[in-house]
Each structure stands twice: as structure tokens, then as C-alpha cells.
Amino acid sequence: MIRIGVIGYGYWGPNLVRNFAETPGLAVASVADIDQKKLDIVKKRYPGVATTTRFQELIEDRSIDAVAVATPVSTHFELGMAALKAGKHVWIEKPLAETALQARKLVEEAEKRERVLLVDHTFIYTGAVRRMAELVKGDDFGDMLYYDSTRINLGLFQRDVSVISDLAVHDFSILDYLLDEQPVAVSAVGTNHFRGTPENLSYLTLFYGSGIIAHVNVNWLAPVKMRQIFVGGSKKMIVYDDLESSEKIKVYDKGISLTDDPQRIYEMRVGYRSGDMWAPRLDATEALRVEGEHFADCIETGKTPLTDGFLGMRVVELIEAATRSMNDRGRSVEVNGKFMFQGRRVA
Amino acid sequence: MIRIGVIGYGYWGPNLVRNFAETPGLAVASVADIDQKKLDIVKKRYPGVATTTRFQELIEDRSIDAVAVATPVSTHFELGMAALKAGKHVWIEKPLAETALQARKLVEEAEKRERVLLVDHTFIYTGAVRRMAELVKGDDFGDMLYYDSTRINLGLFQRDVSVISDLAVHDFSILDYLLDEQPVAVSAVGTNHFRGTPENLSYLTLFYGSGIIAHVNVNWLAPVKMRQIFVGGSKKMIVYDDLESSEKIKVYDKGISLTDDPQRIYEMRVGYRSGDMWAPRLDATEALRVEGEHFADCIETGKTPLTDGFLGMRVVELIEAATRSMNDRGRSVEVNGKFMFQGRRVA
Amino acid sequence: MIRIGVIGYGYWGPNLVRNFAETPGLAVASVADIDQKKLDIVKKRYPGVATTTRFQELIEDRSIDAVAVATPVSTHFELGMAALKAGKHVWIEKPLAETALQARKLVEEAEKRERVLLVDHTFIYTGAVRRMAELVKGDDFGDMLYYDSTRINLGLFQRDVSVISDLAVHDFSILDYLLDEQPVAVSAVGTNHFRGTPENLSYLTLFYGSGIIAHVNVNWLAPVKMRQIFVGGSKKMIVYDDLESSEKIKVYDKGISLTDDPQRIYEMRVGYRSGDMWAPRLDATEALRVEGEHFADCIETGKTPLTDGFLGMRVVELIEAATRSMNDRGRSVEVNGKFMFQGRRVA
Amino acid sequence: MIRIGVIGYGYWGPNLVRNFAETPGLAVASVADIDQKKLDIVKKRYPGVATTTRFQELIEDRSIDAVAVATPVSTHFELGMAALKAGKHVWIEKPLAETALQARKLVEEAEKRERVLLVDHTFIYTGAVRRMAELVKGDDFGDMLYYDSTRINLGLFQRDVSVISDLAVHDFSILDYLLDEQPVAVSAVGTNHFRGTPENLSYLTLFYGSGIIAHVNVNWLAPVKMRQIFVGGSKKMIVYDDLESSEKIKVYDKGISLTDDPQRIYEMRVGYRSGDMWAPRLDATEALRVEGEHFADCIETGKTPLTDGFLGMRVVELIEAATRSMNDRGRSVEVNGKFMFQGRRVA
């Protein structure tokens, strides 16, 4: 049994505790939060779980094997590093850290101490994204041509991060998972509509060496909620709508093909193909449950997590590059790659 | 009765002829097309209409008062100029011309000869766009914050124009109609997935002096069709979905407001407001019918068309700026304004 | 070339003329309507077509081979019979006649004179219904269990027919086409909300000897339009939404299966099966075009139309039975079958 | 503090316990279930709550003030009666009992002992139904003309009740809440597709003295889920779609009006009115929370619950009448009213 401590019982912490509590192989040992009222809720719901307002106490507890960090981003580096140095396996909320440099240090510390470092990019563990990856990497899809994502809603404005760190990171991690290459450049524009707040709306484009173009539209100031990804392939096209109750993934047998038909050549060498649509059944297991079991499995067997520190670090580097581009009205910024290509991909 | 000749009976020409034929005050006198087969169709449908494969014949016909040009963009300048020089009023398909310089010359020729020059930006004549403009300019909407448009489908790849000239022009004209200012800069990225073809996918951002940001997502390679505009205001937000059969325009009483609540200040000075949604009834008259009557009215009374040559010229200038930015991976390009600010807005 | 005359240029007549005019093998010779204004429109659109306010003139014209009757139901019998007696092939709008007795006489007259009698149940010629029939009759669907249709909108209240004759007839014809059996009984309820008008809302249930149950919900007083059919089979289920622009037909690999799992037996011997969804590509040819060509083909080759007089007669008999049931608050009414089983089905 | 015991921890019991546990004024004292495994889950989640496999123990516990019965319908009468006789206030799942006679006895027992008897018709406590009732009873709606509900999905086939008791009861209770009259007759048809199981599909019509007609379509064998109610009024129409995430209630300013326009009179004395659509903001509080607080309030103040035993009894009587009609293929069955009109309505 792996004993886990959770730091932060705000928005996401309760989901972690609930899931860890029901995951075989994991036991929630302790919860830390600076707000005693939140700990009172923990006490009421889980009388057997220890609580503390001092995170150090949790980290110093020798009986605890792993620590989950669910606090504001600005504290990820300090808390994650302290936990790793105390020899804990670490689960950390996305994004991994405020800067790529911090992210790199966390990754190096985990490597050095041979501890598991999992970044909670939850989408990678959904049935929909896993199925989409199988489809995209399969033979029927052809080459990926573009990726186009819209994540908008009237969201909770956040104090310490922009809409990129809140929403676009989902696409950064999904793209990392779907593709065998990293973007070479990023162009982003964005704006904040309230003085002194981080950007609440951003449009980002990622360029890849293979010619793939990925676009991400994130907005905290939209009247309706959308969570929609289009993935265009040379043979098939996928629409993933996360708000559909069933049929989240639709595969269209539609596309364009070059033609030698003289009639069409007169116009252009392009022909249309229109076929069936197909919505595969998806595994409906809660993603956090899958991820919790995966974390436990990695700790026990030494496997590298699907969303390891390297992936987390690449995501932070993209946030930095996008932010630089946004500050320069969309000027294309090369992605450094200095850290990136040390990264190993997990099959 | 205004006698009108139509040059080009390809994709759009038949719609023009059908509408002009039923518009009071207009009579279709002649149709020109280089393809005799298309003229045979005209003959069958409208036995009273003259046809010719030589456009000059139509332009030289003294009994003809106005000419509509519905041919590929590359011919707009030549045909439009010839018609103006022959003293005709001119209706020309969007975009007005291939270059802003050509557009300027057409505008100047129309001014000099005191002829009506209407550019067929049809959307401006829809009940939905007219209602949206009333709402945006009304007191309840507050300041416009952003405009975000998606126009995607598996479209007809075109030989001589990119997806910007085909689809983004709709947004350029709608923005020109909604706002009292012109964009100061444009950032665009795009790609073509088939060697030797124009761009079939593009993401554009327009920046305005007032801080408004406008984004346009156009794609000819999408498996489903979308025609959706979000307009965010400081007091209300609008969603315009052109594919809805009724309720195309939805007005949301939702938004964000600054707050002095100390609880929220701890987080951020932002509060949420969520209210009713409202879908106004729209005038369902076919836009082309409204536009045809407006053209006849401008010819008879000397009024300036809602979509006059200046608007058409500003749109072409935006196409040029966007194309330059696209060739430089999204680098922000200032909109020249050299021609633009000669433009007069029609109230 | 088959020369066709059309009687009635009101709501549906213009569609018939437009389609017949473009159907190879058919030529529109003449249009009759009591309203001269409507004939003026015909003259303007089709200068080559003769017009008359006297239908007898059209029927007596020896150069005319076939007559289409697109007038109010109350005149179908008189006009159809006159045309048949004059030796014409007849196309008649649905429903075939006001009473089953009239319908029978029309069928008998057509049989006697060996003329083609086609009843315009247009839905049978849509790509969607034809595909649905292939699916339902195929091996993968299993046994049909139920059919459930909703056809509602804020419709044109009609003077001489109820909502059953206007809308439920579509389902009567589709069921006749999908199934190899006729209903044995009908239960219907309905109401009219305006004194002196025919019923504007009705709920009907058809019972079949095999146990299939079919339900139809028709309503002219609904705020939104719906055209949706569910067909439940023992192996697959189909949803046909005629208002979807593409993907009108969705096939669900879902269902129920009996089980021997002791856990489930404790509850009930029923297990659930949930699989993929699939939307086949459909033939998008306009139904009226398909139907026009089919009519010409039947005239030339002597084939029996897919929607022949027998089908039209069975539909009228169902209207009569449903109306009787509706007048008795849903009491189940046996379907007579006296005429019905003389009917031959066309494969 | 009202101490409550819950009998039954199957499908719905856990929701009750979770909500009661967080409702001010209520404390969950004990949970009874015949399955020890379910009680083990209770123990793990709520270490402070007593558990027992013997419901008598819970009922005999003098420290318990109120009992919630969340067991199969066949046991409602025995358990509810035992709890009332032990002087408890009783919360009972819908439907109240298997027969109207049993329901009457429960109501009489509660009256005699002056205990609160609440039947858990949860929908009445949703923001959507409460808002719909305000709208329907308000001045702008006019007279109600019809009510049309569809509740279909691939549901859990139940052992001891038909789809009417499972799903149509929601409409029976909503209609009771919306209207000031009871139905005078019911016509229902239905079928079971698996030998020996209760009906899994049913179509019901309720007739009211005022002329209102209410229709309910319930089906456990549908491939997609729908929860949709249309309410037609003489001035407005409402669509309530419970699966919409926001905008569950839409109010249409559409309808029909009698006219004196001679043009229209030629056709019929009916004119169309089409106006705006409006979706009011709804209270999003969880219905079970509202209902739990209401139960506590009724116990403390002696108020009659909104969903009292009389309402529960009227619903059971409708189930009985519908079942009789269904066994006779839709023959209209008068609703007895013997018990019904003892009922008092709560404003």
C-alpha cells in the first residue's frame, strides 16, 4: 500500500483525495492546507485522514511515500522540490512550474533520486484522447495535416496564471501525446480585458517541422462553453467534442484527393471524397482513476509515467514561448529545444 | 426600369440573375459567359434574356444601365473598369479586386463618373447581421471587447484565391460594418496542404486602436460546416450561428464585473454575472433580394451603397496585409491606411 | 418525350413543374390553375408552357400523356378520375383521396385502363428512407421492435385536412415501405385548439400482428420544428433526423440481450450492449427528381411505381381508421383490410 | 437537529445519504440495507453513521425522528406504514406504493398521526420546473393547450415496475404541480419486448376537463437519451430540455391567432405569430438539497410538503388507470377521483 499525502484542498484537491481514496494500492495518509476550514471538511468526510496546516509536517512524515501538489502554480517548484528531496514520489498539478528552468530542476531532481514525477495532465488519461491517439497513429488516418482546438467559457479568472496556463496547456499535452515531433515555433496573440489581470483570451499557433499546423483558441470571457478539437488527416478527419455525453469522438471518412480528371484539372487538381461517419465506443472510466492507478503502478514497477516530468517541462517551455510571442503581437518565436530534446517519449 | 447585364454564369451568377429577375425596378437584359453551355441554360430558364459569349458586346450595349460582374477575381478589375468607362453602374462580386491598387482605381473611376459601385458583400444585407449591428451599437451592449469567427467546411478549393479571399472577407466586411474604426494591424498564419494551391486554412487576428481584438478561423479542409461568430461586449455577449434555422442570434446577459467584495478581492477583483439569454426574431428576407433593391435604389436616388467601393477597397487592403503577415508566419503587419481613410462610412 | 400537364400551381405545384422541367424524358406541356395570377407566374418563368384556368382543357388535350394533380385533397378524386378516363397516366399528391372508397375506385380505374397511377409520397424517394429500408431489411438489424416518429412545427393550418392527412401520412407510407406487414389496429387521440378547424395535434399508435408497435406524434402548434424517427431493432437501432444537414441516419450498435449471468438474473435476465455509432453516407439527389424519373420510367416500361395506387389506398384507409379512433378517444380500431390485401408490394 | 434513518442503499439511497449529510438541520443517524457489502461502503464513507441489515432495528430506534424509504416499490407500503406507526416522519421514494389503496392507507396513517409524509418526486424541486410553473401560471402564457413529454434512453430494465412507474411518474407529478385540475381520463398503449418483463415502452395521453391534452412518451429501449417537454399555451410556448447544460427552459413568443384578414379567411381564420425566444436564468441548486431542506422545514413547522402523500396517491392512481388502459390497447379509462379530490393543493 502506497501512502500518499495531498498538499492543497482547494478546487482540485478534493477530486484527488476522493480518487486516491478509492484507488486500489493507494491510501490517503494526510492532507495539508493553509486554510483550517478546508481541513475541517476533510476531517468530516475522511475521519481517518490526518490533516495539517503545515506542509512541511506532511513532507517530513517518513510513513508517507508520495506527495500530490495541488496548490497555485507559483508554489509548485518549492513544494515539489521539497517533496523530491525528502525522497517522495511526486504528483504535481499542471503546469509543472512557473518557468522552464524550474521545471528542468524538478525533472533533474527526480531523475537523480530515481523518484516518479507525474504531472497531472489529466486529458491524456481519458478514453477519448487515448482512442484519438490510436486513430491518429493508425494506418487509416494518413498524415496529420492540422489540429484546431477551441476551449472557451465564462471561466474563473485566475490570479496567478493566464488563460494559456489554464486551458491551452491541455492542448500542449495532447499534441505532445499525439505527435512524434515537437513544435519548432509558436505564434500567439492575446489580450486581457481587465487592467492588472493576466490574459483572458488567446489565439495560438504551433508550427511543426513536418508542416503540421496546430491552432488553439482559449477564452475565459465567452458566453457558452466549448471544448472542441478538429484533427485533419490526409485520409480521415476527427472531431472530438468533450461536451457530448456520448459520441465524443467522430471519425469522418472525408477528404481531398489529387486527381487526374481533365475536367477537374481545368479547375484544380483536387477532388472531394465524402463517406461515412463513425463514432467509436469509448472507455468511460474516470480519467483521474486511470491516472491514479497508473501513478501507483509507476511507483511499484519503476515505469515512466505517460505524463512524466519531461512532458511537463516541454509544456512549460511552450507556455514561455507563447507568452513571449503574445507580448510581441504574434511574432513567431522559435521553441528553444535546449531542454526539450533531452526528453524521452513514452510509447 | 433599370436594365442590368450579368457577366459570368458560374457558381454565383445564377443566384444574381434569379434575384434581379424578381426585383422590382430591375430587369435582366443580357447574360455573358465564355461557356456556351451555360448560356444554353440561361436561354432555357429565361427565354427573354439575351446571351453572348463576348462580354464586350454586353458592355457596349447602350440599352444596358448596370453591369454585374460575377467572374473569377482575376478579371474583376478589367471587367469592372470597362463597365464603368462605358458609363454603367457596377455590381461586383467580392473581393472587389486582386490588389488594393486595382480597387482604388475602380473606386476613383466610379467617383469620377458618378456611377454606383456596389461590392457584393452579401452578409451585410442579412437580417442577422443588421440586427447584430443594431445590438452592438445600442446602449445595452457596452463596449465591444472581442470578435471571434469560425468559417470552416470541406469547401471547393479555388484556383485563383486563398481561403482568406473566399471566407475571411465576410468577416472583414462585417467588422467594417459593426465598428467605427479600422484595424491598425493584422497577424495571420496559414498553410496549403496541396502543393501549388492557395492557402486552404488560415488563422487571422485583427488589432484595433481601441483594444478590440478580432479573430477569424477559416478552413476549407474541415469535416463539418461551421459558421459561428462570438461578439463579446462589456455588458452583453452575442453568438451568431448562421447554420441555425431560427434563433441565429443569441444575446447573453452574461459577463464579468469588477468587484470590491473583500472575499473576491483575495482572489481577484472580478465577479461573474449570469442572466437570461434572448434570441430576437430576425427579418428573414433573402439578403440578395434586399441587396438588389438597395442597388436599384442607389442608382435611382444617388445614395451611396452600404457596401460601396471604399468598403470593398478596405477589405482588399486587409487581404493584402493578411497575406503579407501569413508569408511571414504571423508577424504583425500594419494596415497601411493610405487608401483606407479616404473612405466614408455610410450610417 | 412524355408530355405532362400539371393541375394546381399553389404550394407544391411549382416544385413539380421545376422538377419535371429538368427531368430527362419529361416535358411540361401545360399548367392549369383557377387563379390567373399564378398562371402569370408560370408564364414569366416558363414562357414555353401553356396555361389555362380550365382543367378540362388540359385533360382533353390529346398531346398530353400524363397529368399531375396538385390540388386540395377534396378534388383529387374528381380530377384523378377524369384524367384516368381520358387515358392519362396520373401523378397525384398525397393523400390519394378523401375516402378509401374513392381511393379504391381510382386504383381500379388505373388497373382497368392500364395506366400508371403514382401517389406522391415523396419521402420514399429520399436517400435517407431508401438507406433506412436497406438497413432495416438487412441481416444486421435483427427484428424490428418499434417505430417512433415526431413531426411537429408551427405549421400552416389547413382548411380541408387534419394534421394526420398532412403529416402522419408520411409515416404511414414509410412504414408501408419498411415492413412486410400491414397494421391490424390503430389507436389515435387528437385535438383541435380552434373551433371549427380540423385536428392540429394527434398521437397515433399502429399495432402489427408481429408485435411491432409504431407511434406517431404530429403537431401543427409546436414552437420548434422536429422531424425525427427512431427505429428500434433487436440488434441495432436507427435514428433518422431529417433536419440534420448531413448524418441524417445514425445507426447505433446498442441494445439489450438476455443473459445467464447469475448476478444479473438476480435483477432480471437482461444485459446491456453498447457499441459504436455509424452514420452512412446518403444519396443526396433531390427526392422529387428521383421520383420524376421513376414516373417516366414506369410509363415507358410498364413498371409498377414504388408508391402505387395500392399503397396510396392503404394510407387512406389508415387515415380513416385513425380518424375513427380519434373520435372515440383512442379506442383501438381494427384496420379493415378489405382493400388492403389486394395490394401488391413492389420489391 | 432532526435525526434521519435511511432504508435502502442501492441506486438512489447513496444520493439521499450524501444530501441529508450536508443539509443543515438534518443528521443521518443510521442506514439499513439487507446487503452487508453496501453497508460496508457506508461505514467507509461515513464512519459516524450506524448501519444494520435489519430495518426494524432502525424503525424501533427512538432517537430517530424521520425515516427515508429508498427500497423497491413492492416494499414501500410495509416499510412506510411501519415507520409511520412508530411515529416517524417519512420520506418515501416515488411511486408512493404499488396500489392506490396502499397509497391511501399511508396517507390516512400520516394524517391520523400528524406526521410529515413526503413523496420524493424530485423534479418538483428543480429550478427548471419551479420556473416553468411560474411561467405557466403567469399572465403572459395564456391558457395551456397541451403538454408533450419524451423520456427515452437505454435504461435499466427493472424487475418490479414498468417504464410508466419509472419515468411517466415524473410527468404525472409535474402536471399535478403545473395544473389546477386533475385528468378525467387516460389512454395508454405499451409493450414489453422481452417475455416476462414489465412494459419497457409506453405512450400515454391524459385528458383534462378544460380540454388540455397531455402526452407522455417513455421508452427504456432507445439508443439516445431525451428528456424534453413541450408546453403549448395560447400566448407563449415553452420547451424544457433537461439535458441542456444551461438554457433548459426556452420560452417562445410564437403562436396562432384568429384573424379577420379576408385573405386569410379565404384559407382559414388562423394567423401566425412569430416573435423572440427567451431563456430565463434558472436556480441551479441541486433539487435534492432543496427537497431535503423542505422536508426538515415541514417537520419543524408543520407545513405540508409540496409533494405530499395526496400528490403521491394521485400519481399512483394515474399509474393504475394507465396500466388498465394499456392492457386494453388504449381504451380510454376514467380516472376514479374517489381518493383524488380529498387532496389539498399546496400553493
Side-chain angles (χ1 to χ4, degrees), chain B residues 317-331:
Chain B
E317 194 177 23
L318 282 177
I319 296 172
E320 285 192 341
T323 306
R324 280 203 302 280
S325 175
M326 193 161 60
N327 293 336
D328 201 7
R329 272 201 175 167
R331 187 181 53 79

PDB file of all heavy atoms in Angstrom, chain B residues 317-331:
ATOM      1  N   GLU B 317      -7.498  45.692 -49.018  1.00  0.00           N
ATOM      2  CA  GLU B 317      -6.269  46.073 -48.316  1.00  0.00           C
ATOM      3  C   GLU B 317      -5.993  45.120 -47.149  1.00  0.00           C
ATOM      4  O   GLU B 317      -4.849  44.741 -46.891  1.00  0.00           O
ATOM      5  CB  GLU B 317      -6.364  47.521 -47.822  1.00  0.00           C
ATOM      6  CG  GLU B 317      -5.006  48.037 -47.410  1.00  0.00           C
ATOM      7  CD  GLU B 317      -5.050  49.492 -46.982  1.00  0.00           C
ATOM      8  OE1 GLU B 317      -6.130  49.994 -46.591  1.00  0.00           O
ATOM      9  OE2 GLU B 317      -3.995  50.119 -47.030  1.00  0.00           O
ATOM     10  N   LEU B 318      -7.045  44.713 -46.458  1.00  0.00           N
ATOM     11  CA  LEU B 318      -6.871  43.753 -45.366  1.00  0.00           C
ATOM     12  C   LEU B 318      -6.399  42.404 -45.894  1.00  0.00           C
ATOM     13  O   LEU B 318      -5.574  41.737 -45.270  1.00  0.00           O
ATOM     14  CB  LEU B 318      -8.170  43.585 -44.579  1.00  0.00           C
ATOM     15  CG  LEU B 318      -8.491  44.698 -43.591  1.00  0.00           C
ATOM     16  CD1 LEU B 318      -9.842  44.451 -42.923  1.00  0.00           C
ATOM     17  CD2 LEU B 318      -7.395  44.768 -42.511  1.00  0.00           C
ATOM     18  N   ILE B 319      -6.933  41.984 -47.030  1.00  0.00           N
ATOM     19  CA  ILE B 319      -6.472  40.724 -47.633  1.00  0.00           C
ATOM     20  C   ILE B 319      -4.971  40.817 -47.908  1.00  0.00           C
ATOM     21  O   ILE B 319      -4.202  39.891 -47.603  1.00  0.00           O
ATOM     22  CB  ILE B 319      -7.229  40.417 -48.940  1.00  0.00           C
ATOM     23  CG1 ILE B 319      -8.719  40.187 -48.670  1.00  0.00           C
ATOM     24  CG2 ILE B 319      -6.629  39.202 -49.639  1.00  0.00           C
ATOM     25  CD1 ILE B 319      -9.569  40.074 -49.944  1.00  0.00           C
ATOM     26  N   GLU B 320      -4.547  41.937 -48.471  1.00  0.00           N
ATOM     27  CA  GLU B 320      -3.116  42.101 -48.767  1.00  0.00           C
ATOM     28  C   GLU B 320      -2.267  42.059 -47.504  1.00  0.00           C
ATOM     29  O   GLU B 320      -1.232  41.394 -47.455  1.00  0.00           O
ATOM     30  CB  GLU B 320      -2.882  43.433 -49.503  1.00  0.00           C
ATOM     31  CG  GLU B 320      -3.304  43.410 -50.945  1.00  0.00           C
ATOM     32  CD  GLU B 320      -2.792  44.617 -51.723  1.00  0.00           C
ATOM     33  OE1 GLU B 320      -2.419  45.634 -51.085  1.00  0.00           O
ATOM     34  OE2 GLU B 320      -2.770  44.545 -52.958  1.00  0.00           O
ATOM     35  N   ALA B 321      -2.717  42.785 -46.478  1.00  0.00           N
ATOM     36  CA  ALA B 321      -1.941  42.822 -45.230  1.00  0.00           C
ATOM     37  C   ALA B 321      -1.883  41.427 -44.602  1.00  0.00           C
ATOM     38  O   ALA B 321      -0.832  40.974 -44.134  1.00  0.00           O
ATOM     39  CB  ALA B 321      -2.560  43.827 -44.258  1.00  0.00           C
ATOM     40  N   ALA B 322      -3.033  40.729 -44.608  1.00  0.00           N
ATOM     41  CA  ALA B 322      -3.078  39.389 -44.019  1.00  0.00           C
ATOM     42  C   ALA B 322      -2.168  38.443 -44.779  1.00  0.00           C
ATOM     43  O   ALA B 322      -1.471  37.608 -44.184  1.00  0.00           O
ATOM     44  CB  ALA B 322      -4.516  38.872 -44.029  1.00  0.00           C
ATOM     45  N   THR B 323      -2.147  38.575 -46.087  1.00  0.00           N
ATOM     46  CA  THR B 323      -1.307  37.695 -46.900  1.00  0.00           C
ATOM     47  C   THR B 323       0.163  37.950 -46.617  1.00  0.00           C
ATOM     48  O   THR B 323       0.956  37.009 -46.498  1.00  0.00           O
ATOM     49  CB  THR B 323      -1.643  37.892 -48.401  1.00  0.00           C
ATOM     50  OG1 THR B 323      -3.048  37.707 -48.574  1.00  0.00           O
ATOM     51  CG2 THR B 323      -0.880  36.901 -49.261  1.00  0.00           C
ATOM     52  N   ARG B 324       0.524  39.226 -46.472  1.00  0.00           N
ATOM     53  CA  ARG B 324       1.927  39.531 -46.118  1.00  0.00           C
ATOM     54  C   ARG B 324       2.285  38.929 -44.775  1.00  0.00           C
ATOM     55  O   ARG B 324       3.350  38.333 -44.618  1.00  0.00           O
ATOM     56  CB  ARG B 324       2.149  41.055 -46.072  1.00  0.00           C
ATOM     57  CG  ARG B 324       2.354  41.701 -47.448  1.00  0.00           C
ATOM     58  CD  ARG B 324       3.097  43.033 -47.349  1.00  0.00           C
ATOM     59  NE  ARG B 324       2.407  44.013 -46.500  1.00  0.00           N
ATOM     60  CZ  ARG B 324       1.370  44.762 -46.903  1.00  0.00           C
ATOM     61  NH1 ARG B 324       0.897  44.647 -48.137  1.00  0.00           N
ATOM     62  NH2 ARG B 324       0.818  45.617 -46.079  1.00  0.00           N
ATOM     63  N   SER B 325       1.394  39.056 -43.789  1.00  0.00           N
ATOM     64  CA  SER B 325       1.676  38.502 -42.461  1.00  0.00           C
ATOM     65  C   SER B 325       1.797  36.980 -42.533  1.00  0.00           C
ATOM     66  O   SER B 325       2.678  36.374 -41.934  1.00  0.00           O
ATOM     67  CB  SER B 325       0.550  38.896 -41.492  1.00  0.00           C
ATOM     68  OG  SER B 325       0.742  38.286 -40.243  1.00  0.00           O
ATOM     69  N   MET B 326       0.924  36.368 -43.324  1.00  0.00           N
ATOM     70  CA  MET B 326       0.913  34.908 -43.451  1.00  0.00           C
ATOM     71  C   MET B 326       2.221  34.404 -44.049  1.00  0.00           C
ATOM     72  O   MET B 326       2.724  33.346 -43.662  1.00  0.00           O
ATOM     73  CB  MET B 326      -0.283  34.492 -44.301  1.00  0.00           C
ATOM     74  CG  MET B 326      -0.597  33.018 -44.264  1.00  0.00           C
ATOM     75  SD  MET B 326      -2.303  32.725 -44.815  1.00  0.00           S
ATOM     76  CE  MET B 326      -2.272  33.394 -46.469  1.00  0.00           C
ATOM     77  N   ASN B 327       2.767  35.201 -44.978  1.00  0.00           N
ATOM     78  CA  ASN B 327       4.038  34.800 -45.587  1.00  0.00           C
ATOM     79  C   ASN B 327       5.208  34.968 -44.632  1.00  0.00           C
ATOM     80  O   ASN B 327       6.308  34.516 -44.897  1.00  0.00           O
ATOM     81  CB  ASN B 327       4.289  35.607 -46.861  1.00  0.00           C
ATOM     82  CG  ASN B 327       3.271  35.247 -47.931  1.00  0.00           C
ATOM     83  OD1 ASN B 327       2.699  34.156 -47.903  1.00  0.00           O
ATOM     84  ND2 ASN B 327       3.045  36.169 -48.857  1.00  0.00           N
ATOM     85  N   ASP B 328       4.944  35.635 -43.517  1.00  0.00           N
ATOM     86  CA  ASP B 328       5.995  35.848 -42.526  1.00  0.00           C
ATOM     87  C   ASP B 328       5.596  35.235 -41.181  1.00  0.00           C
ATOM     88  O   ASP B 328       5.927  35.765 -40.118  1.00  0.00           O
ATOM     89  CB  ASP B 328       6.251  37.366 -42.393  1.00  0.00           C
ATOM     90  CG  ASP B 328       7.621  37.656 -41.808  1.00  0.00           C
ATOM     91  OD1 ASP B 328       8.406  36.699 -41.626  1.00  0.00           O
ATOM     92  OD2 ASP B 328       7.883  38.833 -41.522  1.00  0.00           O
ATOM     93  N   ARG B 329       4.867  34.119 -41.237  1.00  0.00           N
ATOM     94  CA  ARG B 329       4.489  33.341 -40.058  1.00  0.00           C
ATOM     95  C   ARG B 329       3.889  34.154 -38.920  1.00  0.00           C
ATOM     96  O   ARG B 329       4.264  33.999 -37.741  1.00  0.00           O
ATOM     97  CB  ARG B 329       5.702  32.618 -39.501  1.00  0.00           C
ATOM     98  CG  ARG B 329       5.887  31.277 -40.135  1.00  0.00           C
ATOM     99  CD  ARG B 329       6.727  30.406 -39.248  1.00  0.00           C
ATOM    100  NE  ARG B 329       6.806  29.064 -39.814  1.00  0.00           N
ATOM    101  CZ  ARG B 329       7.655  28.156 -39.401  1.00  0.00           C
ATOM    102  NH1 ARG B 329       8.500  28.438 -38.430  1.00  0.00           N
ATOM    103  NH2 ARG B 329       7.648  26.963 -39.942  1.00  0.00           N
ATOM    104  N   GLY B 330       2.997  35.049 -39.272  1.00  0.00           N
ATOM    105  CA  GLY B 330       2.222  35.688 -38.212  1.00  0.00           C
ATOM    106  C   GLY B 330       2.784  37.002 -37.720  1.00  0.00           C
ATOM    107  O   GLY B 330       2.205  37.623 -36.817  1.00  0.00           O
ATOM    108  N   ARG B 331       3.925  37.436 -38.289  1.00  0.00           N
ATOM    109  CA  ARG B 331       4.437  38.745 -37.892  1.00  0.00           C
ATOM    110  C   ARG B 331       3.341  39.777 -38.118  1.00  0.00           C
ATOM    111  O   ARG B 331       2.698  39.815 -39.157  1.00  0.00           O
ATOM    112  CB  ARG B 331       5.669  39.116 -38.729  1.00  0.00           C
ATOM    113  CG  ARG B 331       6.374  40.406 -38.277  1.00  0.00           C
ATOM    114  CD  ARG B 331       7.570  40.713 -39.172  1.00  0.00           C
ATOM    115  NE  ARG B 331       7.197  40.740 -40.589  1.00  0.00           N
ATOM    116  CZ  ARG B 331       6.601  41.769 -41.188  1.00  0.00           C
ATOM    117  NH1 ARG B 331       6.326  42.869 -40.528  1.00  0.00           N
ATOM    118  NH2 ARG B 331       6.270  41.695 -42.468  1.00  0.00           N
TER     119      ARG B 331
END
